[in-house]
Amino acid sequence: MPKLTVEGAGDVEVAAGKRLVLALTDDAGIDQLHACGGKSKCTTCRVEILAGDAGEMTAAEAETLAARELTGVRLSCQVLCNSDLTVRAESRLEGSGRADAGGRPSDELEP
């Protein structure tokens, strides 16, 4: 099982292949935003990968990040936990002014 280390929150083991956004919310207890429901449209689930291999970007992730002119971050809804990762959760519900984090993303990678 891969180990997920979240800066400021500690370490958890997660199921191999689990979407990072779900590992953050379900396993690490992080109030990670995911306003579009994990469909790579909004960038609210962005994280900084501090260590480890987050894998290649999906076409949807690359397109969304390019359109928003974002670099140095990944969309946690488009990353699968297949190896140990250390991340900084950059977009959290607390302090965002949003009513909730967003609809629960599906277990499967979308789109």
Side-chain angles (χ1 to χ4, degrees):
M1 292 181 79
K3 179 175 76 170
L4 173 62
T5 302
V6 182
E7 184 180 67
D11 305 332
V12 294
E13 287 190 349
V14 299
K18 186 170 190 171
R19 293 176 81 177
L20 179 55
V21 66
L22 296 176
L24 287 167
T25 58
D26 297 349
D27 301 313
I30 300 297
D31 60 341
Q32 179 71 41
L33 290 174
H34 43 79
C36 73
K39 295 176 176 48
S40 185
K41 295 189 182 294
C42 68
T43 73
T44 61
C45 71
R46 67 189 173 276
V47 295
E48 183 179 350
I49 305 296
L50 301 175
D53 181 7
E56 293 197 32
M57 283 190 193
T58 63
E61 179 182 16
E63 182 179 310
T64 300
L65 291 174
R68 303 281 174 102
E69 298 181 353
L70 292 172
T71 60
V73 295
R74 295 290 304 266
L75 300 182
S76 64
C77 72
Q78 298 295 298
V79 174
L80 299 177
C81 294
N82 287 316
S83 65
D84 293 352
L85 291 173
T86 301
V87 303
R88 176 180 298 132
E90 297 200 349
S91 190
R92 312 267 305 263
L93 178 60
E94 183 177 359
S96 71
R98 294 177 179 266
D100 60 46
R104 180 173 173 79
S106 74
D107 291 340
E108 302 299 320
L109 196 62
E110 294 180 282

